[in-house]
Amino acid sequence: MRLFFAPVGQDDFEALFDLRIAAMRESLERLGIFNLDNARKRFAGQFDPQHMQHICADLEDGQGPQRAGLLTVVPYHDGRLKLQHLYLLPAYQNRRIGDWAMQQVQSQARRDGRAVWLEVLNQSDAIRFYERHGFVQTGGDPIDLLYQWSPV
């Protein structure tokens, strides 16, 4: 399997919104806060193609490269990087693609000497993923937990 990033354009909004919903709906419903209109408004407020990348996978099955997910890393005002989005379509989860994307983020952060922070939904399955990659909880509220990773 070959993995790579591809740029995001303004015309990718709907496809990436659908991807985000596919990746997050179960967690949002578990917390009782799923609302399609609110989700669209929130994603629209965060939609910034300059900092977004498609996560693409070429599974060598003859279908060619497919959009597997979305990665958004935004430089934050205090010098850290904010991991805004790391979503994979359900069909691409548990295939080490998220691990690959996280390694890319952490490698860049190490080179730049920057910490990475993120917000993750409370009770989300993604918590284990982030902790496995060295993120430590630094705060939060009943809906979102704050995590940070610092280069060694």
Side-chain angles (χ1 to χ4, degrees):
M1 171 173 34
R2 183 174 71 97
L3 300 171
F4 60 97
F5 293 119
V8 169
Q10 289 292 335
D11 58 341
D12 291 320
F13 178 86
E14 287 300 327
L16 291 175
F17 174 69
D18 291 345
L19 187 154
R20 182 177 189 265
I21 293 301
M24 290 192 63
R25 185 176 195 135
E26 184 178 319
S27 293
L28 292 167
E29 287 176 343
R30 186 177 0 198
L31 289 173
I33 59 171
F34 178 74
N35 178 297
L36 197 56
D37 291 333
N38 288 346
R40 178 176 290 282
K41 287 175 190 168
R42 183 170 179 161
F43 188 65
Q46 298 170 342
F47 189 73
D48 182 5
Q50 173 185 351
H51 297 108
M52 302 174 120
Q53 299 179 82
H54 296 286
I55 301 170
C56 300
D58 189 343
L59 303 177
E60 300 169 3
D61 59 3
Q63 294 184 14
Q66 303 291 312
R67 179 186 299 140
L70 169 65
L71 175 70
T72 305
V73 179
V74 179
Y76 205 60
H77 62 83
D78 63 4
R80 295 180 296 167
L81 298 173
K82 182 175 185 186
L83 180 57
Q84 184 80 44
H85 304 120
L86 175 52
Y87 304 126
L88 294 173
L89 288 167
Y92 292 95
Q93 294 174 3
N94 300 310
R95 298 175 87 168
R96 312 263 340 182
I97 297 170
D99 294 328
W100 174 83
M102 182 58 73
Q103 288 167 1
Q104 307 309 304
V105 171
Q106 289 175 320
S107 291
Q108 182 64 47
R110 262 191 214 95
R111 282 191 297 274
D112 296 346
R114 296 175 134 194
V116 180
W117 74 281
L118 59 89
E119 297 170 287
V120 62
L121 280 173
N122 196 350
Q123 302 179 32
S124 170
D125 294 336
I127 292 170
R128 287 189 314 276
F129 170 83
Y130 293 120
E131 289 176 347
R132 194 173 77 238
H133 285 278
F135 282 79
V136 176
Q137 185 177 350
T138 60
D141 59 39
I143 295 178
D144 291 313
L145 303 177
L146 301 176
Y147 276 78
Q148 181 165 300
W149 173 89
S150 296
V152 176

